[in-house]
Amino acid sequence: MSVSAERRTFSDTLAGYVTYFSPTQRRFGLRTSDDREFTVHLPRNVSSRIVRNLGDPYRDTTAATLDMLAEGRYLFVYGICYAWQDGERFEAKEITFPEEHRGSYVFEHPAWWVQQAAAVADFYLRGHFPDGKYDWQNFRTQLTLHGTHLPDFDGADVRQETDTISRLVYGLSTAYLLTGEDRFLQAAESGTEYLREHMRVADDQDGIVYWYHGIDVTPTGQRKVLASEFGDDFDAIPMYEQIYALAGPTQTYRITGDPRILDDIDRTVALFEQYFRDPEHGGFFSHLDPITLDPKADALGPNRSRKNWNSVGDHAPAYLINAYLATGREDFARLLEETADTVVQRFPDEPGSPFVQERFHTDWTPDRTWGWQQDRAVVGHNLKIAWNLTRIKSMVDKDEYGALAERISEIMPAVGSDQLRGGWYDVVERTADPDSGLHRMVWHDRKAWWQQEQAILAYLILAGTTSDPEQLRLAREAASFYNAFFLDYDDGGVYFNVLANGIPYLLGTERLKGSHAMAGYHALELCYLAAVYTGLLISNDALTLHFRPRPDDLPDRTLRVAPDLLPAGSVELTRVWVEGRPYHHFEPKELTVRLPEGDEPVRVRVELEPAQLRLRMRTEFDGGTAHVRCDGVIDTTELEKFRRVLSEVMAAEPLRVEFHLCEVTAMGRPAINELLFQRTKAGLDVDFVIVGCALPDVADALLATDAFLLEGGDACAHD
């Protein structure tokens, strides 16, 4: 063999934790998620950055790279590997830090996911409605990488798919929940109305509603498309299309309480019960014949008498949990419990495979020969089951839900994730290759945006409900990969797929940001629920949500504002505003607001907090004076929150900062030092004032620095 044949170079990405750093030898150790150790060499021209959000400027840290390589810090390093017969050398070219500093992940800031939601939603509004008018007749299923429609002269881009509109409506409604920005709700409501007017068929005789696959819009009119014209479901009515037709309207209903939408939900569920349900063996069939509405019709071919994950499990995330949150109805709760019971009973396949079985015949025998799936696993569906079982367990506390969710979370990283580079794979063989023991990739090793979402949400909610540090580690790693590689800072939105090393894959339909499969749904669902789980279950931050109902449309004028299915008693409703004014008719533990009479929409803003919140910090500005009100314990555990809030206050450049520490029950020396540090940074013309009473040792420690003023005024008492 020649010398050249023994050498090779290739570029790749590594993800892991710094184990050591040698400044003299310019190298550091990196431990990957599966405990492999690598040595990374640092050439003089290595660059680095911190992960940034959509809408943020580039955050270059090249000059500080060596100082940031602290032991235990998580990072991504892209570099070139030089391999030869007796060894190899990996040289870093770019380092990406998901943490501001060790343990402070950028996406755990309370504003991160809210900002991202607004940016993603605005990307779709610009793309579909560049004139700012939300006329859904101008919507097209396909949206280019740059956020534009295909040119009119192309002649092929005339299809409006019901599910794609519904998914986008879901995303826009979700953006409104997080931001309260009118444009998102206006677009969501007009989109819901468009679906009802153009895509809905109300069968009053049978008391059902069903939804067209879509319509073709041309200058001369419209053509309704009843049966699916999408690949695997051709000439059938697939249940998942009917399920996802409800996703957007249901999320809109959570905000507005429009009774017409609830009627559509009820009558679509009636369709499921009358035609898709299997009364003999249980569960729901996956497809109906469009003529006879018979799930066993010969015309269905390979979809005859079949059941699958979409027809059984997708009820929960697509519409059913949100319908239950908005209504509290027992019939929705029973259907949720039934779907969870069916998944637990029918889907696991150990020891045959670590992955669930996803397709079945009528009698629940596995179908391992269907179409593209054969005996293959969709990694994201396994994670989706873990995520949704954990949610439903908060409503129906069954041990088997938690057991399966935790079992899936335990076994998935080794078989479904990339433990070298980070991120989660797409479709793999359900059984391992006998030679290598690996579950081989079916088509490629690319990573799709929606499967990253399932991983992030599954591990976030498990971390938040079990307090398991391993679940939190996996959640953070998944969120780091997504935020480092999927955000498109040039054109906006998120990429469909990236290569294994994180570089965007921009060919074919995967170049699109609007398609049969992509319409903002998963990206905005992720923003919303990551904000919910991170703030309320993990980092102990308040969450603000926005609603706009007509009070008289709601039963007993009661607005339900639970953000998701969370453990009973874990969250409380602490503040409410109606039309911008504080409002006090609400039930903190029930998470409900009793609204005043009225038949016009009202703006309702609510603040939710963890029930066991250790430190509450609220800030407000009165001219040049900033008020910082603290309640609880300010110790090393809460120091990061304390530092963050103070930094945000000082960024507004107030002339006077008043600290209301009356309700502080303990304050450690690091927090006192942080106050002194911020004081010295503020300049001589800024006053730091302790208002009212404070714990004697706290007041004495602050006054001893000779950097603070003490003023009375608050009536308070300490135990």
Side-chain angles (χ1 to χ4, degrees), residues 614 633-643 666-671:
R614 299 183 74 249
V633 177
I634 313 177
D635 57 11
T636 54
T637 301
E638 303 297 338
L639 184 61
E640 181 63 32
K641 178 192 291 188
F642 189 62
R643 177 183 293 122
M667 189 171 185
R669 171 54 63 178

Short mmCIF file of all heavy atoms in Angstrom, two decimals, residues 614 633-643 666-671:
data_model
loop_
_atom_site.label_atom_id
_atom_site.label_comp_id
_atom_site.label_asym_id
_atom_site.label_seq_id
_atom_site.Cartn_x
_atom_site.Cartn_y
_atom_site.Cartn_z
N ARG A 614 -38.89 29.25 44.58
CA ARG A 614 -37.99 29.61 45.67
C ARG A 614 -37.66 31.10 45.66
O ARG A 614 -37.44 31.70 46.71
CB ARG A 614 -36.70 28.80 45.59
CG ARG A 614 -36.92 27.30 45.70
CD ARG A 614 -35.60 26.54 45.67
NE ARG A 614 -34.88 26.68 46.93
CZ ARG A 614 -33.75 27.35 47.08
NH1 ARG A 614 -33.21 27.96 46.03
NH2 ARG A 614 -33.14 27.42 48.25
N VAL A 633 -35.84 33.06 48.63
CA VAL A 633 -34.47 32.76 49.02
C VAL A 633 -33.52 33.13 47.88
O VAL A 633 -33.74 32.74 46.73
CB VAL A 633 -34.32 31.27 49.37
CG1 VAL A 633 -32.88 30.94 49.71
CG2 VAL A 633 -35.24 30.89 50.52
N ILE A 634 -32.47 33.87 48.20
CA ILE A 634 -31.46 34.21 47.20
C ILE A 634 -30.17 33.53 47.63
O ILE A 634 -29.34 34.10 48.35
CB ILE A 634 -31.26 35.73 47.06
CG1 ILE A 634 -32.61 36.45 46.96
CG2 ILE A 634 -30.42 36.03 45.82
CD1 ILE A 634 -32.49 37.96 46.89
N ASP A 635 -30.01 32.27 47.21
CA ASP A 635 -28.82 31.50 47.57
C ASP A 635 -28.06 31.13 46.30
O ASP A 635 -28.35 31.64 45.21
CB ASP A 635 -29.19 30.27 48.40
CG ASP A 635 -30.20 29.38 47.68
OD1 ASP A 635 -30.44 29.59 46.46
OD2 ASP A 635 -30.75 28.46 48.33
N THR A 636 -27.10 30.24 46.42
CA THR A 636 -26.29 29.89 45.25
C THR A 636 -27.13 29.24 44.15
O THR A 636 -26.84 29.39 42.97
CB THR A 636 -25.15 28.95 45.66
OG1 THR A 636 -25.69 27.82 46.36
CG2 THR A 636 -24.16 29.67 46.56
N THR A 637 -28.19 28.51 44.54
CA THR A 637 -29.06 27.88 43.55
C THR A 637 -29.76 28.92 42.69
O THR A 637 -29.96 28.73 41.49
CB THR A 637 -30.10 26.98 44.24
OG1 THR A 637 -29.42 25.99 45.01
CG2 THR A 637 -31.00 26.30 43.22
N GLU A 638 -30.15 30.04 43.31
CA GLU A 638 -30.90 31.08 42.61
C GLU A 638 -30.01 32.22 42.12
O GLU A 638 -30.50 33.21 41.59
CB GLU A 638 -31.99 31.64 43.53
CG GLU A 638 -32.96 30.61 44.06
CD GLU A 638 -33.78 29.93 42.97
OE1 GLU A 638 -33.90 30.54 41.87
OE2 GLU A 638 -34.29 28.83 43.20
N LEU A 639 -28.71 32.08 42.30
CA LEU A 639 -27.81 33.18 41.96
C LEU A 639 -27.85 33.53 40.48
O LEU A 639 -27.80 34.72 40.12
CB LEU A 639 -26.38 32.82 42.38
CG LEU A 639 -25.33 33.93 42.18
CD1 LEU A 639 -25.67 35.16 43.01
CD2 LEU A 639 -23.94 33.40 42.53
N GLU A 640 -27.97 32.52 39.61
CA GLU A 640 -27.99 32.79 38.18
C GLU A 640 -29.21 33.64 37.80
O GLU A 640 -29.10 34.59 37.01
CB GLU A 640 -27.99 31.49 37.40
CG GLU A 640 -27.99 31.66 35.89
CD GLU A 640 -26.75 32.37 35.37
OE1 GLU A 640 -25.68 32.20 35.97
OE2 GLU A 640 -26.87 33.09 34.35
N LYS A 641 -30.37 33.30 38.35
CA LYS A 641 -31.57 34.10 38.09
C LYS A 641 -31.38 35.52 38.63
O LYS A 641 -31.72 36.51 37.95
CB LYS A 641 -32.79 33.47 38.74
CG LYS A 641 -34.07 34.28 38.54
CD LYS A 641 -35.20 33.80 39.43
CE LYS A 641 -35.72 32.45 39.01
NZ LYS A 641 -36.95 32.07 39.77
N PHE A 642 -30.85 35.65 39.83
CA PHE A 642 -30.63 36.96 40.45
C PHE A 642 -29.70 37.80 39.57
O PHE A 642 -29.97 38.98 39.28
CB PHE A 642 -30.03 36.75 41.83
CG PHE A 642 -29.94 37.98 42.67
CD1 PHE A 642 -31.08 38.67 43.05
CD2 PHE A 642 -28.71 38.45 43.10
CE1 PHE A 642 -31.00 39.82 43.84
CE2 PHE A 642 -28.61 39.60 43.89
CZ PHE A 642 -29.77 40.28 44.26
N ARG A 643 -28.62 37.20 39.12
CA ARG A 643 -27.66 37.90 38.27
C ARG A 643 -28.30 38.32 36.95
O ARG A 643 -28.09 39.44 36.47
CB ARG A 643 -26.45 37.01 38.01
CG ARG A 643 -25.42 37.62 37.07
CD ARG A 643 -24.28 36.66 36.79
NE ARG A 643 -23.49 36.41 38.00
CZ ARG A 643 -23.29 35.22 38.53
NH1 ARG A 643 -23.84 34.14 37.97
NH2 ARG A 643 -22.54 35.08 39.59
N ALA A 666 -33.87 34.72 53.04
CA ALA A 666 -32.45 34.38 53.19
C ALA A 666 -31.70 34.95 52.00
O ALA A 666 -32.21 34.95 50.87
CB ALA A 666 -32.24 32.87 53.28
N MET A 667 -30.48 35.44 52.26
CA MET A 667 -29.68 36.01 51.18
C MET A 667 -28.22 35.69 51.45
O MET A 667 -27.64 36.12 52.46
CB MET A 667 -29.89 37.52 51.09
CG MET A 667 -29.27 38.19 49.87
SD MET A 667 -29.81 39.92 49.74
CE MET A 667 -29.09 40.38 48.16
N GLY A 668 -27.63 34.91 50.56
CA GLY A 668 -26.26 34.47 50.75
C GLY A 668 -25.24 35.53 50.38
O GLY A 668 -25.55 36.51 49.68
N ARG A 669 -24.02 35.34 50.84
CA ARG A 669 -22.95 36.27 50.54
C ARG A 669 -22.73 36.46 49.04
O ARG A 669 -22.50 37.59 48.58
CB ARG A 669 -21.66 35.79 51.23
CG ARG A 669 -20.42 36.54 50.84
CD ARG A 669 -20.53 38.04 51.03
NE ARG A 669 -20.74 38.43 52.42
CZ ARG A 669 -20.82 39.70 52.81
NH1 ARG A 669 -20.75 40.68 51.92
NH2 ARG A 669 -21.01 39.98 54.09
N PRO A 670 -22.78 35.40 48.19
CA PRO A 670 -22.61 35.63 46.74
C PRO A 670 -23.64 36.60 46.17
O PRO A 670 -23.30 37.40 45.28
CB PRO A 670 -22.75 34.22 46.14
CG PRO A 670 -22.32 33.31 47.24
CD PRO A 670 -22.83 33.95 48.49
N ALA A 671 -24.88 36.55 46.65
CA ALA A 671 -25.90 37.47 46.15
C ALA A 671 -25.59 38.89 46.58
O ALA A 671 -25.78 39.86 45.82
CB ALA A 671 -27.27 37.03 46.63
#
